[in-house]
Amino acid sequence: MKITYVKNRLQTALAEASPVMAQTSLDRAEALLAEMGDDCRQRLDELLAQFPAGLTGDADAMRQQVRGVYETARRMVGVGTVAGLPEVDVVARSLCDAADGLLQRDKLEWEPIRVHISTMTLLRRTDLPAEAKQQLLTSLEALRGKYAAPAPVKAG
Amino acid sequence: MSASKAPKVLLNLQKTAVLLADSDTMGQSIVVQMLVGFGARNIVRCDEADDVRRLLKNQAFDLVIMDPASFGAEGYDLLTSLRREQTSPNKHAPVLVVTGHTEQNRVGQLRDAGANFIVSRPLSAAVLLDRILWMSREKRPYVETNHYVGPDRRWRDAALPLGQTGRRQKDKEVAARIAAGGEMNQADIDLVMNAPVDTAATA
């Protein structure tokens, strides 16, 4: 085994910059993120529109469609929070788990995907009461648990 | 209390060369907004795996932020090959992996790819700032074996960044104080900000 001690170049670059309080940097970043809300809501709508209406064709085609659902959901994660819709991120991650689990087990079922997409569409509405949002997320948890791929088990 | 709110902590990325590798433009834009807020002026955005590979070979960066999953299977190879490329100016660059989701069959691959830190989306500005601060204070050596090249993963007294669930008793004590609404004392701050490297563990 070779061990190398190197100078931390990030530390060097930070030390060369004029001093700014971290809290000031953080406030500026959050202000800039707040400006992205509309763009992120629009992006969420575009991604929601990319989900298929169902799985069609032979097994290979369906596998590709589930793969596409996974990729679309993965791209959604993080956008919801900046859009002011953090619950959409939760559902998108849950859909990633479910779609990944379906692919790992080669179970090409549409129902768990449909439920996730419907939930996301509902959560996209900004007028939904907080209790209703929470209920939707709670009911989805059982579905995620049923379809998500199990974590890999370490040998030994 | 997050590290960013600790008194007298400074962060300005004005002089930091950042490579942001993410094939999703909105994911990129969100991180760019944060980095610009942190003062970054030199951000190279890249959404093609081949371009990422070329840049990593030819241009030195002080910080690499990468979403390997966004590039598909090739994305994981980008990081692994970066660490194994003997002549790369970024072989020892600090790498922060940002991921929306990792497929179960790729968890091990991501873990072994040689990132300095992995964070999940949704990513808040506070979390990104804390992780950058944490990475800037890292003193871990890089190890090279047949199976792994990257920052040493055998380290003891270095506490995890706040918000991460640690398994050590010391992690739990700090987390419990914070959860109870208690302020961090100097020892806690030192634990987070000046994590010592246990050189004995690297021998």
Side-chain angles (χ1 to χ4, degrees):
Chain A
M1 178 170 61
K2 182 180 166 190
I3 299 176
T4 310
Y5 288 85
V6 294
K7 196 171 173 70
N8 186 328
R9 64 170 77 161
L10 176 59
Q11 186 178 40
T12 306
L14 289 179
E16 285 172 357
S18 52
V20 176
M21 296 301 292
Q23 187 59 52
T24 306
S25 294
L26 186 57
D27 292 344
R28 280 196 313 228
E30 285 173 346
L32 287 169
L33 278 179
E35 291 175 7
M36 293 189 74
D38 286 341
D39 288 344
C40 285
R41 279 185 285 278
Q42 188 183 337
R43 178 65 175 152
L44 279 183
D45 291 339
E46 287 168 9
L47 290 169
L48 270 171
Q50 286 178 19
F51 286 121
L55 300 180
T56 55
D58 61 16
D60 278 347
M62 288 165 72
R63 216 170 279 123
Q64 278 301 108
Q65 289 155 25
V66 176
R67 181 87 223 157
V69 165
Y70 173 85
E71 285 301 329
T72 302
R74 195 187 51 72
R75 282 199 289 269
M76 292 177 98
V77 179
V79 181
T81 297
V82 183
L85 301 161
E87 299 86 3
V88 173
D89 281 344
V90 176
V91 183
R93 279 188 72 88
S94 175
L95 178 51
C96 285
D97 284 337
D100 184 29
L102 291 171
L103 288 167
Q104 301 289 329
R105 298 188 180 97
D106 206 25
K107 286 175 76 173
L108 305 172
E109 296 178 24
W110 172 245
E111 187 58 14
I113 296 172
R114 185 194 66 75
V115 173
H116 276 88
I117 296 171
S118 301
T119 306
M120 269 195 270
T121 307
L122 274 171
L123 289 170
R124 169 65 183 87
R125 286 172 40 188
T126 49
D127 59 340
L128 211 61
E131 304 83 52
K133 287 180 180 177
Q134 195 48 53
Q135 272 184 355
L136 284 168
L137 294 180
T138 304
S139 60
L140 211 57
E141 185 56 31
L143 192 70
R144 194 203 69 84
K146 183 177 173 187
Y147 286 96
V153 179
K154 277 188 179 173
Chain B
M1 182 167 68
S2 80
S4 57
K5 295 194 177 184
K8 295 182 183 170
V9 174
L10 306 171
L11 182 97
N12 184 0
L13 297 182
Q14 188 184 20
K15 303 279 186 186
T16 305
V18 186
L19 174 64
L20 177 56
D22 186 337
S23 77
D24 184 64
T25 49
M26 184 54 81
Q28 260 191 21
S29 297
I30 290 171
V31 177
V32 164
Q33 293 290 84
M34 296 184 202
L35 294 173
V36 169
F38 300 160
R41 299 290 174 267
N42 182 3
I43 306 169
V44 178
R45 301 171 65 154
C46 202
D47 58 9
E48 294 285 343
D50 286 345
D51 293 339
V52 176
R53 205 179 295 276
R54 183 178 49 78
L55 280 163
L56 286 172
K57 268 187 184 173
N58 298 314
Q59 192 174 334
F61 294 97
D62 304 310
L63 173 65
V64 177
I65 300 177
M66 183 188 287
D67 182 352
S70 74
F71 297 105
E74 199 181 357
Y76 298 92
D77 292 338
L78 280 174
L79 183 51
T80 310
S81 58
L82 162 69
R83 293 301 192 207
R84 291 186 178 276
E85 184 74 53
Q86 294 301 330
T87 57
S88 167
N90 297 294
K91 181 175 167 61
H92 300 121
V95 176
L96 177 68
V97 162
V98 178
T99 179
H101 188 270
T102 305
E103 296 158 86
Q104 283 296 351
N105 60 357
R106 298 225 179 257
V107 169
Q109 199 177 354
L110 181 59
R111 185 194 59 215
D112 297 337
N116 293 68
F117 212 93
I118 301 170
V119 289
S120 297
R121 289 191 163 106
L123 180 63
S124 70
V127 167
L128 180 61
L129 188 145
D130 278 347
R131 300 311 180 260
I132 291 173
L133 280 172
W134 187 87
M135 287 167 68
S136 75
R137 288 164 168 86
E138 243 196 335
K139 296 182 175 110
R140 283 188 286 169
Y142 282 74
V143 299
E144 197 166 338
T145 69
N146 289 338
H147 305 291
Y148 174 77
V149 183
D152 197 338
R153 297 183 293 188
R154 302 166 308 155
W155 42 321
R156 277 182 278 177
D157 293 328
L160 293 165
L162 298 176
Q164 293 283 304
T165 309
R167 291 175 296 176
R168 305 175 189 117
Q169 186 58 35
K170 204 179 281 184
D171 297 333
K172 289 172 185 162
E173 286 166 8
V174 173
R177 274 202 293 282
I178 293 162
E183 290 292 302
M184 293 172 82
N185 59 31
Q186 191 56 50
D188 294 339
I189 294 169
D190 290 345
L191 189 65
V192 174
M193 307 304 288
N194 300 309
V197 176
D198 183 354
T199 48
T202 63

